[in-house]
Amino acid sequence: MIIKNDYPLIRHNTFRLVSEARLYVEYVDELELNFIIQEHLIRQSEKNFFHLGRGSNVILADERYDGLVLRSAIREISIEKETEDDVYLRIGAGASWDDFVFYAASHKWYGTENLSGIPGEAGGCVFQNIGAYGAEIKDVVEWVEVLDIETLAVRRLTRAECLFDYRYSIFQEKINRWIILRLCVRLNKKRYERPVYEELKEFINPKSPPGKIRRSILKLRYQKIPSHKQGGNAGSFFKNPLLTQGEWQKLQEIEPNIPHFIDDKGRVKVPAARLIELCGLKGASNGKVAVSEMHALVLVNLGKAKAQDVTDMANRVWNTVYDRFGIHLYSEVKYISTDENNFPWNRNVDRRT
């Protein structure tokens, strides 16, 4: 167990915002996590806490977070069972997601190769139901284990119980109640042809082995999405809007040629990046934070940005898109603060069906 007071978090958030935690604790198993919960959340009645992964999908709003920051060091990757066709793998919540995808591809196991290059840890990825190029983590998840903070019991949820949806899982509703410990994914051991995402058709042969598909995905991502190593960012800042048929008809009256995709619930998904571009905001800057020239969904730290600078830029994007198209953008990032304001773009859950 690692326990630190007044611990700097700049290395623990990819937007590179300056912040520190009054108390930072890293644990390696359920026993240590149990102790932390009983000592700090129960005995000392700690009111402010949050669980941090790699920090690739958060905005740390406080220069000093007056509370407890938890981090998982449960990083196991092991085979739970195998059949002739499939392999079931246990992944600790603190394991690097992309390291796992590399591990799977190197063993020629199919199922996660389209999710290559996504930063973050496995627990955060299942929390967000990450997705890319026509695939989502929900497609391979078998179960997720959580620790209930109130009862200290470990619970295993099936895929159906996780209530996965576009960039959503039940864990977002239970953020102050459950802590993700590990998950199990099922991968295919034999080559199979999966539908190829339209954007990938000119780059990828669906019969290719997963390692080759992974390399193609990484090449494409690096061409389109700015690396947080080159400039602080939290990846896609906004979700792609899911519109009702009525909203979609109204949008077509304003912009008839916008790309779209109809999901299995009949909702119309439109690219938020295109809406932002049509508003003339690609490359826009407030001096501290900019809309990336590479990808309009990404906000970039120009060097010494503070959380308020991020908020100002996000509000500008949110308001401009709404004023032109009447469409609300919902954030992919989570805004972390002991005193959160109700920013319109910080609503993480859009459950319209």
Side-chain angles (χ1 to χ4, degrees), residues 1 13 98 126 164 170-171 214 224-225 233 248 289 333:
M1 186 186 304
N13 76 102
D98 197 52
V126 79
F164 289 121
I170 192 174
F171 309 110
R214 170 178 163 80
K224 292 186 57 178
I225 302 173
N233 70 79
W248 168 238
V289 175
V333 301

Side-chain angles (χ1 to χ4, degrees), residues 23 31 51 76 118 185 188 192 200 204 216 222 226 251 272 353:
L23 181 63
L31 290 176
H51 201 286
E76 62 180 300
I118 297 177
V185 302
N188 197 293
Y192 69 102
L200 301 179
I204 289 176
S216 299
Y222 296 152
L251 177 60
T353 57

Side-chain angles (χ1 to χ4, degrees), residues 50 66 105 127 130 173 275 277 322 324 335:
F50 76 91
D66 188 18
F127 175 92
I130 59 165
E173 304 283 356
L275 298 177
E277 290 171 2
Y322 181 76
R324 176 163 179 176
Y335 189 90

Side-chain angles (χ1 to χ4, degrees), residues 150-214:
E150 294 185 9
T151 66
L152 299 180
V154 174
R155 177 179 176 183
R156 179 175 290 188
L157 286 82
T158 65
R159 179 191 306 174
E161 290 174 320
C162 293
L163 300 182
F164 289 121
D165 200 351
Y166 172 63
R167 300 300 177 272
Y168 174 83
S169 72
I170 192 174
F171 309 110
Q172 295 175 23
E173 304 283 356
K174 303 287 187 178
I175 193 169
N176 295 318
R177 175 73 183 266
W178 292 347
I179 293 176
I180 298 172
L181 299 173
R182 59 183 57 82
L183 56 142
C184 175
V185 302
R186 182 181 67 174
L187 303 183
N188 197 293
K189 294 164 69 174
K190 296 183 178 181
R191 176 178 294 170
Y192 69 102
E193 290 189 37
R194 65 187 304 164
V196 179
Y197 195 69
E198 187 67 33
E199 192 176 358
L200 301 179
K201 287 184 177 179
E202 62 180 290
F203 299 99
I204 289 176
N205 181 341
K207 296 182 179 180
S208 297
K212 186 173 182 179
I213 294 175
R214 170 178 163 80

Side-chain angles (χ1 to χ4, degrees), residues 8-27:
L9 298 174
I10 190 169
R11 293 188 301 108
H12 296 284
N13 76 102
T14 59
F15 214 97
R16 298 181 187 169
L17 296 176
V18 175
S19 182
E20 70 174 21
R22 175 167 56 78
L23 181 63
Y24 172 90
V25 181
E26 192 170 301
Y27 58 90

Side-chain angles (χ1 to χ4, degrees), residues 242-297:
L242 296 173
L243 308 181
T244 64
Q245 288 295 327
E247 291 169 330
W248 168 238
Q249 290 174 7
K250 290 179 180 179
L251 177 60
Q252 284 186 299
E253 293 173 3
I254 302 171
E255 188 62 44
N257 297 319
I258 195 161
H260 67 283
F261 170 78
I262 299 177
D263 71 6
D264 57 4
K265 294 184 178 180
R267 300 171 299 188
V268 183
K269 183 190 296 185
V270 297
R274 184 63 181 145
L275 298 177
I276 295 168
E277 290 171 2
L278 288 169
C279 289
L281 290 173
K282 193 173 186 178
S285 167
N286 62 11
K288 296 293 182 68
V289 175
V291 178
S292 172
E293 291 276 9
M294 291 180 66
H295 200 301
L297 267 188

